[in-house]
Amino acid sequence: MKNILVTGGCGFIGSNFIRLALESLTDARIINLDKLTYAGNLANLDDLDADLDADLDESQRYKFVLGDICDSELLGKLFAEEQIDTVVHFAAESHVDRSIDGPSEFIQTNILGTFALLEAARKSWVVRDAGRGTRDAENQVEQFRFLHVSTDEVYGSLGDTGLFTETTPYDPRSPYSASKASSDHLVSSYYHTYGLPILMTNCSNNYGPYHFPEKLIPLVINNALNGKELPVYGDGKNVRDWLYVVDHCTAILKVLQKGRIGETYNVGGNSEKQNIEVVQTICDILDEKVEPLTAGQPRRSLIKFVKDRAGHDRRYAIDASKIKDELGWQPSVNFDDGIRMTIDWYLHNPAWIACVLDGSYQEYYQKMYGGR
Ligand code: NAD
Ligand code: DAU
C-alpha cells in the first residue's frame, strides 16, 4: 500500500484530487495535511466523509491532519509515523489579487512551506533509502515520489501568438507567480543536488466544482445568480487557457504513475478564451437555466468593466504535447461542456456557496471591489 501525503487537500484542486485518487488508487492511503486557511474547507470533502463512514476499510484509507506545511516538527513526525512514500503538494496561497494586496503569506507558504516540505521529504527519503542500502535508479522508481503542483503563470505573459513549453524561460510577474517560480526552482534543485525523485506539473487555469468564489468563474456565477455586478478587469481581452479540474487531477495521477523522474510536464486545456467571452457565456447559460432577477433583463447587462489588475498578464496558453506524447494524457472535457457542468454544480449546491460566503468573504469583496 502506498502512503500518499497530499498537502492542501481541502482546497479546490486538492479536494477534487483526493476524491479521484481514492477511487483510482485502490492500494493507496491518503493523508491530507491542510491548514484550513480561508480557501481550505472541510465541506469540500463532505461527500467523501459520508462514503467513508459507511465503509470501514475505506475509512482506513483516508486521514485528515490539521496543520501547516511550514511546521517542520509536524512534518517530520508525519513522514515517520505515516511511512509517507509519496507527496502530492498542492498547498499554497493561490490568488493573484491577494498576492498584490499582501504578499507575505505567499512568501511564507509557497516558498518557505515548500522548502520545509522538501527538507522533511529528503530526510525521510534518505533514512528509508539507507534502510534498503542503495539509492539506485530502480529503488527510486519503487520507493519515493515528490510531485509539485505548479502553474503556467511562472512563464510570464504571452503576446498574441506562441505557447508555453516546458523550456520557456521563467518570467513571473506577480508576487504569487514569483513565489511559485521560487518553489519550482527549489523543487528542481532537490532533484539535481540530492537526487530526490521529484516530478513537476505546470498547469493552466482550472475551473469546476468547489472553486472558491474569489476566482473569475465562480465569482461571476455567484454574482450573476444574485443580480450583482460582474467585474471584468481592464478591457476584458486577457486570455486564459481553461481546463476542467478533474482533467487536471487525471493528469497529476498520470504523471505520478508514469512520469519520468526529474521532469516537468505542462498541463493545459487547449481552450483559450478571452475573459469577456467567459463572462458572457456564463450569463447566457444562466439566462437559459434560471429566471432573470428583473424581467427582461439579460445577465450580460450586469457586466462592468473595472480598474485593471496591477501587472495583469495578457495571455497564457499551454503547449501540452509533452504529456500527450509521453504519457498519453489529454483533456477529456471541452469548455462548452465543462462550463455547463460547473454551472449545474453551483446551481445544485447552494449550501456550499452559502457556507463559503461568510463575513470574511464579504470583507474581502468590499476591499477588492468596493472602490473599483
Ligand atoms: P486553493 O487556494 O483553493 O487551496 C489551497 C489549499 O492549501 C487550501 O485548502 C488551504 O487551506 C491550504 N493551505 C494554504 N496554506 C497552507 C499551509 N501553510 N499549510 C497547509 N495548507 C495550506 O488552491 P487551488 O486553486 O486548489 O490550487 C492548488 C495548487 O495548484 C496551488 O499550488 C496552485 O498554485 C496550483 N495551481 C492552481 C491552478 C488554478 O487554476 N487554481 C492552476 C495551476 C496550478
Ligand atoms: O494560470 C493558472 C492560475 O490561474 C493559477 O496558478 C492561479 O492559482 C489561479 O488563481 C488562476 O490565476 P488567474 O489570475 O488567471 O485567475 P483568476 O480567476 O483570478 O482570473 C482569471 C482572469 O480573469 C484574469 O485575467 C483576471 C480576470 N478577472 C478576475 C477576477 C477575479 C476579472 O476580470 N475579474 C475578476 O473579478
Side-chain angles (χ1 to χ4, degrees):
M1 179 157 291
K2 291 204 85 58
N3 294 315
I4 305 179
L5 177 66
V6 172
T7 68
C10 294
F12 165 47
I13 307 174
S15 59
N16 278 285
F17 176 79
I18 288 178
R19 197 171 284 107
L20 182 75
L22 281 171
E23 252 171 57
S24 329
L25 307 176
T26 45
D27 64 340
R29 274 181 76 231
I30 291 187
I31 294 91
N32 171 14
L33 172 65
D34 198 299
K35 185 180 168 184
L36 295 182
T37 67
Y38 78 93
N41 188 350
L42 286 172
N44 292 3
L45 291 164
D46 265 357
D47 56 329
L48 189 80
D49 285 342
D51 289 351
L52 296 179
D53 285 347
D55 184 335
L56 192 63
D57 284 348
E58 285 287 297
S59 72
Q60 286 165 355
R61 294 181 50 225
Y62 173 74
K63 181 170 175 181
F64 171 68
V65 178
L66 176 63
D68 191 328
I69 57 162
C70 300
D71 182 345
S72 302
E73 208 181 309
L74 170 67
L75 290 176
K77 220 170 113 205
L78 266 184
F79 273 87
E81 285 177 1
E82 305 292 349
Q83 294 282 293
I84 300 298
D85 51 29
T86 306
V87 178
V88 184
H89 178 32
F90 292 96
E93 288 294 331
S94 69
H95 190 34
V96 174
D97 292 325
R98 287 189 194 251
S99 83
I100 295 166
D101 187 53
S104 76
E105 284 295 319
F106 289 74
I107 307 305
Q108 188 64 31
T109 286
N110 299 3
I111 305 180
L112 297 177
T114 301
F115 169 61
L117 193 61
L118 281 165
E119 271 298 88
R122 180 173 76 87
K123 285 176 189 158
S124 161
W125 171 64
V126 168
V127 168
R128 298 175 127 240
D129 195 54
R132 300 223 175 192
T134 57
R135 192 184 298 166
D136 58 33
E138 205 175 311
N139 248 340
Q140 288 189 4
V141 170
E142 294 252 328
Q143 286 182 46
F144 208 94
R145 288 287 189 288
F146 186 111
L147 192 153
H148 177 58
V149 180
S150 193
T151 170
D152 60 357
E153 299 203 12
V154 297
Y155 298 122
S157 182
L158 290 165
D160 290 342
T161 57
L163 300 171
F164 296 135
T165 72
E166 289 79 1
T167 54
T168 301
Y170 274 31
D171 185 19
R173 314 290 190 94
S174 70
Y176 163 68
S177 53
S179 67
K180 290 296 291 187
S182 180
S183 68
D184 291 10
H185 290 317
L186 280 170
V187 171
S188 177
S189 78
Y190 271 62
Y191 168 67
H192 290 290
T193 308
Y194 305 112
L196 188 75
I198 67 101
L199 295 154
M200 188 139 54
T201 53
N202 290 79
C203 187
S204 63
N205 286 61
N206 287 212
Y207 66 102
Y210 303 102
H211 205 183
F212 191 79
E214 64 186 350
K215 310 280 168 66
L216 179 70
I217 287 184
L219 184 144
V220 165
I221 295 174
N222 181 52
N223 282 15
L225 277 173
N226 292 295
K228 287 177 71 176
E229 281 174 349
L230 310 177
V232 174
Y233 297 166
D235 63 3
K237 293 190 177 155
N238 299 64
V239 171
R240 298 292 183 266
D241 174 3
W242 293 97
L243 178 68
Y244 191 64
V245 63
V246 179
D247 274 335
H248 185 189
C249 296
T250 62
I252 291 170
L253 276 183
K254 262 278 195 261
V255 172
L256 199 55
Q257 290 169 317
K258 299 233 158 75
R260 282 185 296 136
I261 286 175
E263 292 289 318
T264 289
Y265 294 88
N266 278 359
V267 183
N270 298 325
S271 188
E272 287 183 55
K273 306 267 173 234
Q274 289 187 341
N275 293 336
I276 187 66
E277 264 182 275
V278 171
V279 175
Q280 288 171 342
T281 303
I282 294 170
C283 290
D284 296 348
I285 296 173
L286 281 175
D287 283 346
E288 191 190 295
K289 288 181 183 278
V290 186
E291 287 296 310
L293 290 162
T294 314
Q297 193 193 355
R299 285 182 168 79
R300 283 188 184 210
S301 63
L302 297 168
I303 292 172
K304 184 182 174 204
F305 290 92
V306 298
K307 184 165 171 251
D308 209 351
R309 172 184 280 174
H312 195 176
D313 289 337
R314 191 61 174 172
R315 175 171 165 260
Y316 304 145
I318 283 275
D319 175 349
S321 53
K322 178 175 173 183
I323 189 170
K324 182 172 176 221
D325 295 347
E326 276 192 22
L327 308 182
W329 177 91
Q330 57 186 336
S332 70
V333 178
N334 66 37
F335 187 77
D336 291 345
D337 294 338
I339 195 70
R340 283 181 178 273
M341 281 152 60
T342 303
I343 288 173
D344 284 343
W345 187 86
Y346 281 87
L347 289 175
H348 291 124
N349 288 278
W352 183 88
I353 303 183
C355 109
V356 298
L357 298 186
D358 60 6
S360 67
Y361 179 80
Q362 307 303 338
E363 269 172 42
Y364 163 82
Y365 198 90
Q366 184 52 32
K367 185 173 183 193
M368 289 292 177
Y369 296 96
R372 210 157 189 155

